[in-house]
Amino acid sequence: MSLSPKSSALPAPSRRLPPGLLLGIAALLVVLALPMRDALPPAGHRVLAILAFAVVVWISEAVSYEASAVIITSLMAFLLGTAPTVADPSQLYGTSAAISMALAGFSNAALALVAGALFLAAAMTHTGLDRRIALYTLSRIGAGTWRILLGAIAVTVLLSLVVPSATARSACMVPIMMGVISAFGVDRRSNVAAGLMIVVAQATSIWNVGIQTSAAQNLLTVGFMEKMLGARISWIDWLIAGAPWALLMSAVLFCTVLWLLPPEPGSAPADREVIKRELAALGPMPGAQKRLMGVTVALLLAWSTEGKLHSFDTTSITYAGLVVLLLPRWGVMDWKDVQSRIPWGTVIVFGVGISLGTALVTTHAGQWPANEVIARTGLAALGPLGILAVLTAFLIVIHLGFASATALTSALLPILISVLTILPGDFNRLGLTMMLGFSVSFGFMLPINAPQNMVCLGTGTFNARQFAKVGIVLTLVGYGLMLVFSATYWRWLGWM
């Protein structure tokens, strides 16, 4: 008995291109068709067209970030390859030189640090040390609604130090917190459950600001600092600047959740022993976790003393730690253990993002819009605090359209750094770049604005409206605190 063709045929895949991709292509062609500006070289004109395509595709998520990285690389190879060089307009770049420009980001130390950070995060999840740290911290905080919320924030702070991936931290926290919700008998749709999960997502974003190695966009910012400003901010200097802001914002988050999502009568969890039983079930700490803890503490000490006790950079220190973790017998994992836990797409997108940002500089594509912004907005007359206020507000608003802070950083930070370098006046451009890097992590308002938000939204414990209520307060207060810190604390540190 034979099957009919109709019954055996698979559904035909859709041949229609996603609307976002079509819009991206249209943006590319429109920018290419615009009249050339005398101050903008042809190569820079084409890089801006590629940037327009990238922004539309990243905002619409028409294709995956990994696929967009491949498309952008190809566009850079052919559009730049057929463009005259900036140094000698009578010569073309050629596709060989252009593809080298498109892949230049993969030799950047910031990309190496991101890859190393992902390895550390994989080691944490492979050995289960992240879960042990989370449960131990919660067991010390205790039960009760406010204690559990405070415990979730405390765990996030600790994991931000040792797990350099926001997505990995939230992925670790979610099952633990869902287990707490279930064990305490709390309704999944209650304010307690909603508040707990919102705290996990929002605290992760807050501490992306406080700790340099906690998020990929921070490391991308450091990479652009080195490339465009010839200097970077050390791990400890970033912590000294960002951690006080993050601590205050953690208190704001705690109070806001209790205010906007008050616990229902009789819904407060009260059994502290539940968490202790979960921790006891893990048993004694195995040797792999002890060794990983030792390496992690050593890395934290080495990161925090860079420039004080030694001159080794953060990337080199991190890779020394990875050597120990990957050693036979003495390490905690091998390549097979780690390769499936690394989001390699993040590494690819990060590398292409650095390449695109570097091309914006080398082809003068970043300087031209920077000059236009200064000429048409009167930014030069505002002074450092006014400049930061305007550019930070711009990044916070534009972030509403981005699902990735890394993509936002790749697209806009090189142009904003170019604005800072061209502006007249005696102010600390490196410090202002760090503060703009802080504002990139303001993914507080919409669940789609950060991967950790989407991980927590997937639990079904809260809706977008509840998230936005808390997020609007955090955004407004966080922006105000940034201005206050800029006028006082960060100025005293010499970063303004």
Side-chain angles (χ1 to χ4, degrees), residues 297-307 310 312 317:
V297 171
L299 285 174
L300 288 173
L301 290 174
W303 288 340
S304 61
T305 54
E306 179 191 347
H310 62 84
F312 303 120
I317 292 167

Side-chain angles (χ1 to χ4, degrees), residues 92-333:
L92 300 181
Y93 279 103
T95 53
S96 178
I99 194 69
S100 296
M101 290 174 64
L103 299 175
F106 290 92
S107 62
N108 189 281
L111 175 73
L113 183 55
V114 168
L118 293 175
F119 269 79
L120 284 174
M124 284 284 171
T125 56
H126 173 67
T127 62
L129 181 58
D130 53 352
R131 177 176 174 82
R132 184 178 292 274
I133 291 172
L135 287 172
Y136 177 79
T137 305
L138 287 173
S139 72
R140 306 300 295 180
I141 295 293
T145 301
W146 72 270
R147 287 180 179 271
I148 293 296
L149 291 177
L150 192 62
I153 294 173
V155 170
T156 301
V157 177
L158 286 175
L159 292 183
S160 295
L161 287 168
V162 299
V163 182
S165 166
T167 307
R169 293 197 301 278
S170 57
C172 162
M173 288 287 288
V174 162
I176 295 173
M177 292 303 157
M178 289 303 294
V180 169
I181 290 169
S182 175
F184 287 147
V186 176
D187 189 338
R188 287 170 61 103
R189 299 298 298 181
S190 66
N191 282 352
V192 173
L196 187 57
M197 281 303 164
I198 289 174
V199 160
V200 170
Q202 302 285 28
T204 299
S205 294
I206 286 171
W207 281 93
N208 282 350
V209 172
I211 299 170
Q212 187 185 92
T213 51
S214 64
Q217 63 265 23
N218 297 348
L219 305 180
L220 186 55
T221 299
V222 171
F224 285 139
M225 286 176 179
E226 289 187 305
K227 188 71 178 179
M228 302 178 67
L229 300 174
R232 66 181 180 85
I233 293 174
S234 69
W235 188 91
I236 188 64
D237 286 337
W238 187 295
L239 182 73
I240 291 171
W245 182 93
L247 281 170
L248 281 177
M249 284 299 295
S250 297
V252 172
L253 171 63
F254 177 77
C255 295
T256 302
V257 168
L258 288 179
W259 169 44
L260 294 178
L261 296 169
E264 296 87 348
S267 66
D271 189 0
R272 185 175 185 174
E273 296 303 315
V274 172
I275 298 172
K276 289 187 175 180
R277 285 199 300 270
E278 289 285 324
L279 181 61
L282 295 179
M285 181 181 285
Q289 290 185 4
K290 291 178 181 178
R291 294 193 296 276
L292 177 56
M293 179 65 80
V295 170
T296 301
V297 171
L299 285 174
L300 288 173
L301 290 174
W303 288 340
S304 61
T305 54
E306 179 191 347
K308 309 295 189 295
L309 299 181
H310 62 84
S311 59
F312 303 120
D313 66 279
T314 304
T315 304
S316 300
I317 292 167
T318 303
Y319 272 74
L322 293 183
V323 169
V324 177
L325 297 180
L326 289 167
L327 281 175
R329 298 185 64 180
W330 292 98
V332 303
M333 58 186 179

